[in-house]
Amino acid sequence: MKTLAQHISEISPARAFRPVAVFVPWVVCVLLALAVHFVSPLLVNEYWESVLQRMGVFIVAAVSLNIVNGFTGQFSMGHAGFMAIGGYIGAGVTYYGSLILHGSVGDPNFAVQGTLLMLAGLVAGACTAAGAGYLVGLPSLRLRGDYLAIVTLGFGEIIRVLLELTPKQVSDAAAVKASPIVSFFGFNGATGFAGTPAYANLFWIWLFVAITCVIAYRMKTSSSGRAFLSIREDEIAARAMGVDLTKYKVRAFVLAAFFGGVAGALYSHTGVNPSPTDAGFQRSFDIIIMVVLGGLGSVSGSVLAAMILVLMPELLRDLQQYRLVLYALLLIVMMLVRPKGLFGVKEIWDLSRGDRKQPVGKGGTP
Amino acid sequence: MSFLLDAQGIGITFGGLKAVQDLTVQLPAGVLYGLIGPNGAGKTTAFNLITGVYTPQTGSVKLAGQTINGLRPHQIAKAGLSRTFQNIRLFGELSVLENVMLGSHVRGTHRLLATLLRTPGFVAQEEAMKRRAMELLAIFDLARMADEQAKNLPYGDQRRLEICRALATEPKVLLLDEPAAGMNPSEKKSLSNTIREIRDRFGLAVLLIEHDMGLVMEICEQITVLDHGQVISVGTPKQVQADPKVIEAYLGVEGSGEPSGEVSHA
């Protein structure tokens, strides 16, 4: 019997280099983002464009939370906290960066540099969120189930309270230039941080939607992804087979927090003022519902569920006060009909294949 | 003589209970070694001590010369020790193939960037894991079920899949915790053949916990008998079977209705 190393050495580099599989997804990402950006204005009005933006943000949030809750089976209830970190840092970089570099915020002549600032803020926010994810991931090594849920819930609340304690926003360019570091944390307490220009248009949001989905799916279908899933299925067996629980649990939290931060940073650039309640448990629950509805472990499930749950309140708007009742009812029916979510751990494209295959596999082969 | 697995005087106490005391087990390469004893004798605890689930309070464990007591379970797996579980612990929602590929995890490298960029090195490793897993599945006659979810397999197949997954970690020593539990006689027969085949084909040492005396006596070359956490007998199946202490532990003492031994000598 050959070892794994011997098998690897037998595979020729030419066979292992698959340009189509490697690069095409990225090209598709860009094309999708361009398509959404240029086609949607032809079809829908500005209001629905803002719904599409919201939808994109929540897809990124749900898919990233799925890495922890779905793949790795660690029940995190603090995802809004990571989103808020990314959102505030991102907004802060753009807002105060504009003040320092340009002297004012939201000048149309500064849009290109502003967009670059947004991207820089997005990276900074995502990295800070990832750092927080590392800190939250560490207790997950000792805590399970409900207890971990409580810790992560507490994390979100800590972020919310910390944001409420931040000093007043500074809007004077000279004052910001005088003490940039102190001013940067002027997030305006409980009132919320206002005035971040809406640089995150449909292109940027849907570009990151596509990137997040490709990355989450590539994680899932890799040896690291199998390690995540094995922890979810049976920790004791996973570590006996050589999976380093510490490393993979923390890795899951860091990745999820990173893209949670991306979602938050994008959201704060859509003309919505980030406020401390964004870090609260209400928002975390919204995202958890998306993940559970889509199926724990299913990337495409999270995408579809996030779409449905963002659209539903909009579509039910005519029913006015009954819409929340209907929303709840739909969720209950969903859970009764498909207790494992829309797709379970599978992807949307696995479903038809799996259904066709089973009868053949069971009855056909001798 | 050097041993592949060399556990010297290992022991652990839970509260006041001496679960395993001064246990020495030495496995040369290619041996089929049995660890038996009545219920609650400490067999599974002994497994957990060797595999790092518990850290031995006394004694040392060496695997191919490397000291492994005190290491964490995943490090011990990497050192070359793999196991199955008394109550099957497969990754139920994953496919049969993925279960075995996960076994290869410990022999691979898993860089985040390579995973996300799908570098040639990453692709080659995935491909190699898959090939190796399919070879193993073929040996166990499970290849045609590769895409089934593990939880949907019949019981006997699940047991064999667990062995298959353990072998995917490229172990030097394989620990089987009651592999024949719940099997019917014909399944047991084929299991004992499988265990011998594995030993011959992979050249590893196998340590086996088993309740089924027939199976143990048939395939094991050396046996250690535990009772109340202590070794009461060591030897070949014949020697062990004839040992009065072993008979006492399993059947009680002749001429006495009492389970405790001392009374009958009076």
Side-chain angles (χ1 to χ4, degrees):
Chain A
M1 184 96 201
K2 283 178 280 193
T3 65
L4 183 69
Q6 286 165 337
H7 270 289
I8 292 174
S9 64
E10 275 179 15
I11 294 166
S12 69
R15 192 178 151 75
F17 182 59
R18 295 173 185 167
V20 175
V22 172
F23 297 114
V24 165
W26 302 124
V27 177
V28 171
C29 284
V30 178
L31 290 180
L32 175 91
L34 287 172
V36 175
H37 185 71
F38 288 108
V39 175
S40 57
L42 307 176
L43 301 175
V44 295
N45 60 24
E46 248 177 62
Y47 173 73
W48 283 98
E49 273 184 45
S50 79
V51 173
L52 276 177
Q53 287 182 324
R54 236 176 96 76
M55 187 188 279
V57 167
F58 278 94
I59 291 175
V60 174
V63 169
S64 58
L65 183 64
N66 204 350
I67 296 174
V68 169
N69 286 28
F71 296 0
T72 321
Q74 308 297 306
F75 205 81
S76 163
M77 291 172 70
H79 208 55
F82 299 119
M83 269 183 87
I85 291 177
Y88 268 88
I89 303 271
V93 168
T94 305
Y95 184 86
Y96 290 116
S98 300
L99 278 183
I100 292 172
L101 297 175
H102 194 64
S104 69
V105 180
D107 184 349
N109 295 324
F110 191 67
V112 175
Q113 296 94 316
T115 304
L116 290 175
L117 269 178
M118 172 188 78
L119 293 177
L122 186 133
V123 171
C127 289
T128 315
Y134 181 79
L135 292 179
V136 178
L138 287 178
S140 78
L141 309 171
R142 294 186 163 272
L143 300 171
R144 301 235 162 105
D146 310 350
Y147 301 98
L148 178 66
I150 290 165
V151 167
T152 51
L153 188 70
F155 164 77
E157 291 302 303
I158 289 170
I159 298 296
R160 183 177 66 80
V161 172
L162 281 180
L163 288 172
E164 280 175 2
L165 296 175
T166 50
K168 272 187 89 64
Q169 192 165 349
V170 190
S171 50
D172 175 25
V176 175
K177 275 180 195 161
S179 56
I181 293 168
V182 178
S183 322
F184 183 80
F185 291 99
F187 285 140
N188 220 15
T191 344
F193 190 68
T196 312
Y199 290 135
N201 55 26
L202 281 173
F203 171 77
W204 289 114
I205 289 178
W206 283 83
L207 181 67
F208 281 101
V209 167
I211 289 174
T212 310
C213 291
V214 169
I215 285 181
Y217 185 70
R218 285 189 168 181
M219 274 320 284
K220 184 183 168 186
T221 54
S222 70
S223 57
S224 306
R226 282 191 296 275
F228 288 153
L229 289 163
S230 73
I231 293 173
R232 172 182 107 159
E233 294 292 308
D234 193 323
E235 278 192 19
I236 293 171
R239 68 177 181 178
M241 291 304 117
V243 173
D244 185 344
L245 296 184
T246 313
K247 185 170 150 189
Y248 282 94
K249 282 185 182 178
V250 170
R251 188 180 267 198
F253 265 98
V254 169
L255 263 176
F258 183 90
F259 286 102
V262 168
L266 289 170
Y267 199 39
S268 64
H269 287 85
T270 57
V272 182
N273 296 339
S275 79
T277 50
D278 289 350
F281 66 89
Q282 186 68 50
R283 174 66 56 79
S284 290
F285 280 144
D286 287 347
I287 309 168
I288 288 172
I289 291 171
M290 291 171 186
V291 173
V292 174
L293 184 71
L296 290 165
S298 172
V299 177
S300 48
S302 289
V303 173
L304 196 64
M307 285 180 168
I308 291 171
L309 290 182
V310 170
L311 276 182
M312 201 147 58
E314 305 298 333
L315 296 175
L316 298 178
R317 204 165 275 280
D318 293 339
L319 300 169
Q320 293 171 2
Q321 70 266 43
Y322 298 110
R323 77 188 166 122
L324 286 177
V325 179
L326 211 69
Y327 178 80
L329 261 176
L330 277 170
L331 284 180
I332 293 170
V333 170
M334 254 315 289
M335 287 292 107
L336 286 174
V337 179
R338 294 197 79 102
K340 286 192 167 176
L342 289 170
F343 306 135
V345 72
K346 292 178 176 170
E347 300 296 338
I348 191 166
W349 49 88
D350 294 333
L351 285 186
S352 58
R353 202 182 58 186
D355 289 349
R356 248 184 291 130
K357 195 166 177 185
Q358 243 171 1
V360 179
K362 282 207 173 116
T365 43
Chain B
M1 171 160 196
S2 74
F3 296 101
L4 212 46
L5 179 70
D6 188 354
Q8 286 281 357
I10 55 173
I12 191 167
T13 307
F14 297 120
L17 177 76
K18 291 169 177 166
V20 172
Q21 251 186 304
D22 197 25
L23 169 68
T24 297
V25 185
Q26 294 175 314
L27 276 69
V31 76
L32 281 172
Y33 199 108
L35 186 62
I36 63 171
N39 277 328
K43 304 180 297 284
T44 297
T45 307
F47 257 34
N48 286 338
L49 285 173
I50 294 170
T51 54
V53 175
Y54 307 133
T55 306
Q57 289 162 349
T58 60
S60 70
V61 185
K62 279 187 179 160
L63 183 71
Q66 183 193 354
T67 305
I68 59 167
N69 53 307
L71 294 184
R72 287 158 60 208
H74 73 267
Q75 294 167 318
I76 291 176
K78 185 152 197 171
L81 192 73
S82 197
R83 70 173 292 181
T84 64
F85 294 89
Q86 189 175 344
N87 39 354
I88 304 172
R89 288 182 175 274
L90 287 168
F91 308 123
E93 295 270 330
L94 302 190
S95 73
V96 168
L97 177 66
E98 285 169 325
N99 266 275
V100 183
M101 284 172 79
L102 192 273
S104 296
H105 180 88
V106 71
R107 298 290 157 223
T109 52
H110 318 281
R111 304 215 181 288
L112 191 57
L113 213 58
T115 303
L116 299 183
L117 298 179
R118 292 284 196 253
T119 59
F122 170 86
V123 174
Q125 179 176 296
E126 284 289 307
E127 178 72 28
M129 282 181 173
K130 192 170 175 181
R131 284 187 192 176
R132 204 179 129 76
M134 287 310 289
E135 278 180 22
L136 279 165
L137 285 172
I139 294 172
F140 285 81
D141 197 23
L142 290 167
R144 72 202 154 84
M145 309 212 200
D147 293 327
E148 291 279 344
Q149 278 187 316
K151 65 175 181 189
N152 293 338
L153 257 54
Y155 184 81
D157 287 344
Q158 291 197 2
R159 284 245 169 249
R160 286 186 298 141
L161 176 57
E162 226 194 359
I163 298 175
C164 197
R165 182 183 67 182
L167 287 172
T169 67
E170 299 178 17
K172 300 185 179 90
V173 177
L174 180 63
L175 275 59
L176 302 175
D177 197 347
E178 296 203 25
M183 285 188 169
N184 64 35
S186 79
E187 284 173 326
K188 279 179 188 167
K189 184 84 202 127
S190 84
L191 178 76
S192 57
N193 289 335
T194 310
I195 294 174
R196 278 205 206 92
E197 256 182 64
I198 294 168
R199 187 264 314 263
D200 297 341
R201 190 192 276 253
F202 297 90
L204 36 73
V206 179
L207 179 61
L208 184 79
I209 293 181
E210 191 47 72
H211 266 303
D212 188 275
M213 279 304 141
L215 184 82
V216 176
M217 296 303 165
E218 185 198 331
I219 66 172
C220 290
E221 288 131 10
Q222 282 280 316
I223 291 174
T224 290
V225 188
L226 278 179
D227 191 24
H228 299 297
Q230 285 178 318
V231 177
I232 56 169
S233 183
V234 183
T236 62
K238 272 205 178 122
Q239 291 168 336
V240 167
Q241 264 172 319
D243 190 328
K245 280 194 212 151
V246 178
I247 298 167
E248 186 185 323
Y250 271 89
L251 302 172
V253 173
E254 210 174 334
S256 154
E258 299 290 318
S260 62
E262 272 73 7
V263 188
S264 65
H265 290 292

